[in-house]
Amino acid sequence: PALAQQAFSTPLSKLALSFFLFYQLSAFLGLDALVSLYVALMLSITSTTIFIKLAEYHGVRNKREIQTLLAMLIVEDVFAVFSIAFLSNLSSSNATTVGLLFSIARSLAILGFAYLVFYQLFKKLFSMLDFSTKDVQIFLALAIGLGFSYLASVVGLAPSIGAFLAGSLVASMPKGKLLEEAISPFVLAFSSIFFISMGMLADFTSIYSNLLVFMLLSLGTIVFHFASTALATYFFGFSRQSAVFSGVAMISAGEFSLLLAQEGAGVVNFDLIGLASAAVLSSALVNSVSCPETGNPL
């Protein structure tokens, strides 16, 4: 119970602090309230993909701090999913606040019901299927991901929310590990295509005209992620050394930052995708050159 409380309370504290800092910095730089809201939401979230890849590369995946940080990242990913749900409805609806919240709740309820139904269905289906061939494993993993993504778009949510639920569903299956291993050779290719395609949407003219704002917010991504994570983990029981390790390990913004930026691209008159791309690139570069030795920052 204590570990579960730590894994839940720590990311909420980290998110609240980083959201506050990003919102205040955005407002200080002259961005309006709506743009500041988008910026704070998208830059407060640490990249799970980059974090895991760096942890594996540096050989620290089994450190005690890493396991707690992974639990924190799951909470952050859930927060990101709800943020995408909120922003996707915000960008497509002129309804009142009550209507907006009802629309989000309805869409999430439909997806949640579908998740529970398919969970029971797939449990029986997985016990009947022959998983001895990679072709079946790859096809099934892709079909589940595409199916849930399409279902999410049908009920008015971003396809990325459906993809997130599909990943959670597969991971909970008895033979989900086989699907994960089968799809792993494609992960790097899909990730590369995703990051490159999102980066290509950036408006370089806008980046140049807002260069100082982009630089300060990118620097803020590094500083605020480190500070909010280190303070939250230290407050909830980490040693000073472990808190510093955690702060550096959680620097990178990533995939959900780009998805949130995409949701706001047609809503606000500001290049959110360019900002998110700059923040992801700069924070990932800083993360990748940090010291990997045990007991020191990642």
Side-chain angles (χ1 to χ4, degrees), residues 145-223:
L146 291 173
F148 268 85
S149 298
Y150 177 74
L151 177 61
S153 65
V154 168
V155 300
L157 294 174
S160 54
I161 297 177
F164 177 84
L165 291 177
S168 174
L169 179 65
V170 169
S172 65
M173 291 292 103
K175 296 182 180 179
K177 191 68 175 177
L178 293 175
L179 299 187
E180 180 183 344
E181 293 174 352
I183 204 72
S184 60
F186 300 91
V187 171
L188 182 60
F190 288 161
S191 299
S192 300
I193 292 172
F194 169 75
F195 282 110
I196 291 172
S197 61
M198 292 298 294
M200 291 176 66
L201 295 176
D203 183 355
F204 288 94
T205 303
S206 174
I207 294 176
Y208 179 76
S209 60
N210 296 283
L211 186 59
L212 180 60
V213 174
F214 277 47
M215 289 178 62
L216 290 176
L217 285 171
S218 296
L219 178 61
T221 302
I222 299 167
V223 175

Side-chain angles (χ1 to χ4, degrees), residues 7-9 11-12 15 70-81:
F8 185 74
S9 301
L12 292 183
L15 284 169
L70 283 172
M72 288 175 58
L73 286 168
I74 292 174
V75 175
E76 287 200 17
D77 287 348
V78 173
F79 170 79
V81 167

